[in-house]
PDB file of all heavy atoms in Angstrom:
ATOM      1  N   SER D  36       4.823 -29.803  -4.887  1.00 98.00           N
ATOM      2  CA  SER D  36       4.846 -28.583  -5.261  1.00 98.00           C
ATOM      3  C   SER D  36       3.804 -28.219  -6.371  1.00 98.00           C
ATOM      4  O   SER D  36       3.685 -26.975  -6.798  1.00 98.00           O
ATOM      5  CB  SER D  36       6.299 -28.170  -5.998  1.00 98.00           C
ATOM      6  OG  SER D  36       6.408 -29.048  -7.002  1.00 98.00           O
ATOM      7  N   ASP D  40       3.540 -24.828  -8.361  1.00 98.00           N
ATOM      8  CA  ASP D  40       4.270 -24.833  -9.638  1.00 98.00           C
ATOM      9  C   ASP D  40       3.326 -25.074 -10.862  1.00 98.00           C
ATOM     10  O   ASP D  40       3.916 -24.906 -11.946  1.00 98.00           O
ATOM     11  CB  ASP D  40       5.491 -25.643  -9.579  1.00 98.00           C
ATOM     12  CG  ASP D  40       5.392 -27.093  -9.505  1.00 98.00           C
ATOM     13  OD1 ASP D  40       4.153 -27.580  -9.720  1.00 98.00           O
ATOM     14  OD2 ASP D  40       6.278 -27.905  -9.291  1.00 98.00           O
ATOM     15  N   GLU D  95       3.484 -35.077  -7.331  1.00 95.00           N
ATOM     16  CA  GLU D  95       4.502 -34.289  -6.967  1.00 95.00           C
ATOM     17  C   GLU D  95       4.414 -32.790  -7.630  1.00 95.00           C
ATOM     18  O   GLU D  95       4.243 -31.778  -6.841  1.00 95.00           O
ATOM     19  CB  GLU D  95       5.849 -34.807  -7.313  1.00 95.00           C
ATOM     20  CG  GLU D  95       6.673 -35.417  -6.090  1.00 95.00           C
ATOM     21  CD  GLU D  95       8.004 -35.920  -6.526  1.00 95.00           C
ATOM     22  OE1 GLU D  95       8.824 -35.177  -7.122  1.00 95.00           O
ATOM     23  OE2 GLU D  95       8.295 -37.066  -6.226  1.00 95.00           O
ATOM     24  N   ASP D  96       4.625 -32.813  -8.848  1.00 97.00           N
ATOM     25  CA  ASP D  96       4.706 -31.406  -9.421  1.00 97.00           C
ATOM     26  C   ASP D  96       4.029 -31.300 -10.674  1.00 97.00           C
ATOM     27  O   ASP D  96       3.428 -32.209 -11.204  1.00 97.00           O
ATOM     28  CB  ASP D  96       6.283 -30.985  -9.457  1.00 97.00           C
ATOM     29  CG  ASP D  96       7.057 -31.955 -10.454  1.00 97.00           C
ATOM     30  OD1 ASP D  96       6.431 -32.726 -11.222  1.00 97.00           O
ATOM     31  OD2 ASP D  96       8.284 -32.066 -10.141  1.00 97.00           O
ATOM     32  N   HIS D  98       5.345 -31.021 -13.659  1.00 98.00           N
ATOM     33  CA  HIS D  98       5.872 -31.709 -14.818  1.00 98.00           C
ATOM     34  C   HIS D  98       5.353 -33.149 -14.817  1.00 98.00           C
ATOM     35  O   HIS D  98       4.839 -33.633 -15.871  1.00 98.00           O
ATOM     36  CB  HIS D  98       7.328 -31.763 -14.608  1.00 98.00           C
ATOM     37  CG  HIS D  98       7.919 -30.591 -14.136  1.00 98.00           C
ATOM     38  ND1 HIS D  98       8.044 -29.456 -15.011  1.00 98.00           N
ATOM     39  CD2 HIS D  98       8.552 -30.207 -13.005  1.00 98.00           C
ATOM     40  CE1 HIS D  98       8.638 -28.376 -14.108  1.00 98.00           C
ATOM     41  NE2 HIS D  98       8.985 -28.847 -13.015  1.00 98.00           N
ATOM     42  N   SER D 121      15.419 -34.383 -18.453  1.00 98.00           N
ATOM     43  CA  SER D 121      15.158 -34.639 -17.114  1.00 98.00           C
ATOM     44  C   SER D 121      14.323 -33.601 -16.500  1.00 98.00           C
ATOM     45  O   SER D 121      14.243 -32.466 -17.073  1.00 98.00           O
ATOM     46  CB  SER D 121      16.479 -34.696 -16.331  1.00 98.00           C
ATOM     47  OG  SER D 121      16.524 -34.140 -15.049  1.00 98.00           O
ATOM     48  N   ARG D 122      13.730 -33.840 -15.285  1.00 98.00           N
ATOM     49  CA  ARG D 122      12.901 -32.572 -14.740  1.00 98.00           C
ATOM     50  C   ARG D 122      13.787 -31.543 -14.423  1.00 98.00           C
ATOM     51  O   ARG D 122      13.415 -30.459 -14.156  1.00 98.00           O
ATOM     52  CB  ARG D 122      12.172 -33.150 -13.481  1.00 98.00           C
ATOM     53  CG  ARG D 122      10.794 -33.796 -13.949  1.00 98.00           C
ATOM     54  CD  ARG D 122       9.973 -34.037 -12.590  1.00 98.00           C
ATOM     55  NE  ARG D 122      10.681 -35.028 -11.830  1.00 98.00           N
ATOM     56  CZ  ARG D 122      10.480 -35.126 -10.541  1.00 98.00           C
ATOM     57  NH1 ARG D 122       9.763 -34.357  -9.818  1.00 98.00           N
ATOM     58  NH2 ARG D 122      11.036 -36.147  -9.873  1.00 98.00           N
ATOM     59  N   ASN D 123      15.129 -31.802 -14.254  1.00 98.00           N
ATOM     60  CA  ASN D 123      16.097 -30.814 -13.857  1.00 98.00           C
ATOM     61  C   ASN D 123      16.288 -29.698 -14.952  1.00 98.00           C
ATOM     62  O   ASN D 123      16.195 -28.562 -14.630  1.00 98.00           O
ATOM     63  CB  ASN D 123      17.447 -31.333 -13.393  1.00 98.00           C
ATOM     64  CG  ASN D 123      17.394 -32.379 -12.211  1.00 98.00           C
ATOM     65  OD1 ASN D 123      16.255 -32.369 -11.606  1.00 98.00           O
ATOM     66  ND2 ASN D 123      18.276 -33.124 -11.862  1.00 98.00           N
ATOM     67  N   VAL D 126      12.570 -28.107 -15.536  1.00 98.00           N
ATOM     68  CA  VAL D 126      12.021 -26.961 -14.643  1.00 98.00           C
ATOM     69  C   VAL D 126      12.861 -25.716 -14.807  1.00 98.00           C
ATOM     70  O   VAL D 126      12.392 -24.501 -14.728  1.00 98.00           O
ATOM     71  CB  VAL D 126      12.104 -27.404 -13.050  1.00 98.00           C
ATOM     72  CG1 VAL D 126      13.564 -27.640 -12.575  1.00 98.00           C
ATOM     73  CG2 VAL D 126      11.323 -26.508 -12.288  1.00 98.00           C
ATOM     74  N   ARG D 245      20.412 -20.574 -10.489  1.00 98.00           N
ATOM     75  CA  ARG D 245      19.209 -19.773 -10.276  1.00 98.00           C
ATOM     76  C   ARG D 245      19.575 -18.288 -10.171  1.00 98.00           C
ATOM     77  O   ARG D 245      18.822 -17.508  -9.802  1.00 98.00           O
ATOM     78  CB  ARG D 245      18.358 -20.116  -9.092  1.00 98.00           C
ATOM     79  CG  ARG D 245      17.799 -21.441  -9.068  1.00 98.00           C
ATOM     80  CD  ARG D 245      16.610 -21.721 -10.155  1.00 98.00           C
ATOM     81  NE  ARG D 245      16.117 -23.079 -10.240  1.00 98.00           N
ATOM     82  CZ  ARG D 245      16.542 -24.153 -10.887  1.00 98.00           C
ATOM     83  NH1 ARG D 245      17.575 -24.018 -11.639  1.00 98.00           N
ATOM     84  NH2 ARG D 245      16.007 -25.267 -10.851  1.00 98.00           N
ATOM     85  N   TYR D 330      21.930 -30.098  -9.468  1.00 98.00           N
ATOM     86  CA  TYR D 330      20.559 -29.923  -9.014  1.00 98.00           C
ATOM     87  C   TYR D 330      20.359 -30.408  -7.561  1.00 98.00           C
ATOM     88  O   TYR D 330      21.006 -31.517  -7.255  1.00 98.00           O
ATOM     89  CB  TYR D 330      19.539 -30.688 -10.011  1.00 98.00           C
ATOM     90  CG  TYR D 330      18.067 -30.405  -9.380  1.00 98.00           C
ATOM     91  CD1 TYR D 330      17.379 -29.344  -9.669  1.00 98.00           C
ATOM     92  CD2 TYR D 330      17.596 -31.465  -8.473  1.00 98.00           C
ATOM     93  CE1 TYR D 330      16.138 -29.105  -9.190  1.00 98.00           C
ATOM     94  CE2 TYR D 330      16.232 -31.056  -7.929  1.00 98.00           C
ATOM     95  CZ  TYR D 330      15.597 -30.006  -8.290  1.00 98.00           C
ATOM     96  OH  TYR D 330      14.315 -29.822  -7.747  1.00 98.00           O
ATOM     97  N   ASN D 331      19.717 -29.765  -6.785  1.00 98.00           N
ATOM     98  CA  ASN D 331      19.324 -30.136  -5.374  1.00 98.00           C
ATOM     99  C   ASN D 331      17.850 -29.779  -5.214  1.00 98.00           C
ATOM    100  O   ASN D 331      17.409 -28.774  -5.783  1.00 98.00           O
ATOM    101  CB  ASN D 331      20.204 -29.384  -4.362  1.00 98.00           C
ATOM    102  CG  ASN D 331      21.571 -29.679  -4.483  1.00 98.00           C
ATOM    103  OD1 ASN D 331      22.158 -30.653  -3.947  1.00 98.00           O
ATOM    104  ND2 ASN D 331      22.393 -28.854  -5.169  1.00 98.00           N
ATOM    105  N   ARG D 332      17.110 -30.583  -4.505  1.00 98.00           N
ATOM    106  CA  ARG D 332      15.754 -30.414  -4.258  1.00 98.00           C
ATOM    107  C   ARG D 332      15.358 -29.168  -3.675  1.00 98.00           C
ATOM    108  O   ARG D 332      14.322 -28.556  -3.747  1.00 98.00           O
ATOM    109  CB  ARG D 332      15.077 -31.508  -3.568  1.00 98.00           C
ATOM    110  CG  ARG D 332      13.563 -31.505  -3.471  1.00 98.00           C
ATOM    111  CD  ARG D 332      12.918 -31.820  -4.914  1.00 98.00           C
ATOM    112  NE  ARG D 332      11.499 -31.801  -4.903  1.00 98.00           N
ATOM    113  CZ  ARG D 332      10.749 -32.744  -4.615  1.00 98.00           C
ATOM    114  NH1 ARG D 332      11.296 -34.089  -4.471  1.00 98.00           N
ATOM    115  NH2 ARG D 332       9.459 -32.643  -4.613  1.00 98.00           N
ATOM    116  N   LEU D 334      16.085 -26.509  -4.592  1.00 98.00           N
ATOM    117  CA  LEU D 334      15.779 -25.474  -5.629  1.00 98.00           C
ATOM    118  C   LEU D 334      14.270 -25.307  -5.834  1.00 98.00           C
ATOM    119  O   LEU D 334      13.853 -24.215  -6.400  1.00 98.00           O
ATOM    120  CB  LEU D 334      16.504 -25.890  -6.942  1.00 98.00           C
ATOM    121  CG  LEU D 334      18.031 -25.743  -7.035  1.00 98.00           C
ATOM    122  CD1 LEU D 334      18.592 -26.219  -8.315  1.00 98.00           C
ATOM    123  CD2 LEU D 334      18.400 -24.275  -6.783  1.00 98.00           C
ATOM    124  N   GLN D 335      13.579 -26.326  -5.424  1.00 98.00           N
ATOM    125  CA  GLN D 335      12.132 -26.230  -5.595  1.00 98.00           C
ATOM    126  C   GLN D 335      11.512 -25.059  -4.719  1.00 98.00           C
ATOM    127  O   GLN D 335      10.513 -24.474  -5.065  1.00 98.00           O
ATOM    128  CB  GLN D 335      11.386 -27.576  -5.134  1.00 98.00           C
ATOM    129  CG  GLN D 335       9.906 -27.563  -5.137  1.00 98.00           C
ATOM    130  CD  GLN D 335       9.376 -28.923  -4.940  1.00 98.00           C
ATOM    131  OE1 GLN D 335       9.648 -29.880  -5.713  1.00 98.00           O
ATOM    132  NE2 GLN D 335       8.700 -29.135  -3.811  1.00 98.00           N
ATOM    133  N   ASP D 337      12.542 -22.106  -4.789  1.00 98.00           N
ATOM    134  CA  ASP D 337      12.708 -20.849  -5.496  1.00 98.00           C
ATOM    135  C   ASP D 337      11.382 -20.320  -5.992  1.00 98.00           C
ATOM    136  O   ASP D 337      11.198 -19.086  -6.084  1.00 98.00           O
ATOM    137  CB  ASP D 337      13.658 -20.964  -6.650  1.00 98.00           C
ATOM    138  CG  ASP D 337      13.147 -22.061  -7.817  1.00 98.00           C
ATOM    139  OD1 ASP D 337      12.066 -22.665  -7.513  1.00 98.00           O
ATOM    140  OD2 ASP D 337      13.859 -22.121  -8.872  1.00 98.00           O
ATOM    141  N   LYS D 338      10.281 -21.192  -6.118  1.00 98.00           N
ATOM    142  CA  LYS D 338       9.220 -20.779  -6.924  1.00 98.00           C
ATOM    143  C   LYS D 338       8.216 -19.928  -6.159  1.00 98.00           C
ATOM    144  O   LYS D 338       7.733 -18.855  -6.627  1.00 98.00           O
ATOM    145  CB  LYS D 338       8.372 -22.011  -7.431  1.00 98.00           C
ATOM    146  CG  LYS D 338       9.220 -22.522  -8.565  1.00 98.00           C
ATOM    147  CD  LYS D 338       8.648 -23.854  -9.056  1.00 98.00           C
ATOM    148  CE  LYS D 338       9.786 -24.650  -9.773  1.00 98.00           C
ATOM    149  NZ  LYS D 338      10.844 -25.083  -8.821  1.00 98.00           N
TER     150      LYS D 338
HETATM  151  N1  LIG F 501       9.578 -29.789  -8.664  1.00 64.39           N
HETATM  152  C1  LIG F 501      11.078 -29.879  -8.956  1.00 64.39           C
HETATM  153  C2  LIG F 501      11.582 -28.490  -8.703  1.00 64.39           C
HETATM  154  O1  LIG F 501      10.883 -27.504  -8.755  1.00 64.39           O
HETATM  155  C3  LIG F 501      11.268 -30.223 -10.202  1.00 64.39           C
HETATM  156  C4  LIG F 501      12.661 -30.901 -10.478  1.00 64.39           C
HETATM  157  C5  LIG F 501      12.559 -32.218  -9.657  1.00 64.39           C
HETATM  158  N2  LIG F 501      13.832 -32.926  -9.866  1.00 64.39           N
HETATM  159  C6  LIG F 501      14.249 -33.877  -9.174  1.00 64.39           C
HETATM  160  N3  LIG F 501      15.243 -34.497  -9.330  1.00 64.39           N
HETATM  161  N4  LIG F 501      13.554 -34.315  -8.102  1.00 64.39           N
HETATM  162  O2  LIG F 501      12.747 -28.217  -8.457  1.00 64.39           O
END
Side-chain angles (χ1 to χ4, degrees):
S36 57
D40 67 15
E95 262 181 52
D96 57 23
H98 321 292
S121 148
R122 273 187 295 156
N123 299 350
V126 71
R245 296 295 182 271
Y330 178 84
N331 299 272
R332 189 69 182 270
L334 292 176
Q335 180 168 294
D337 61 357
K338 284 171 208 64

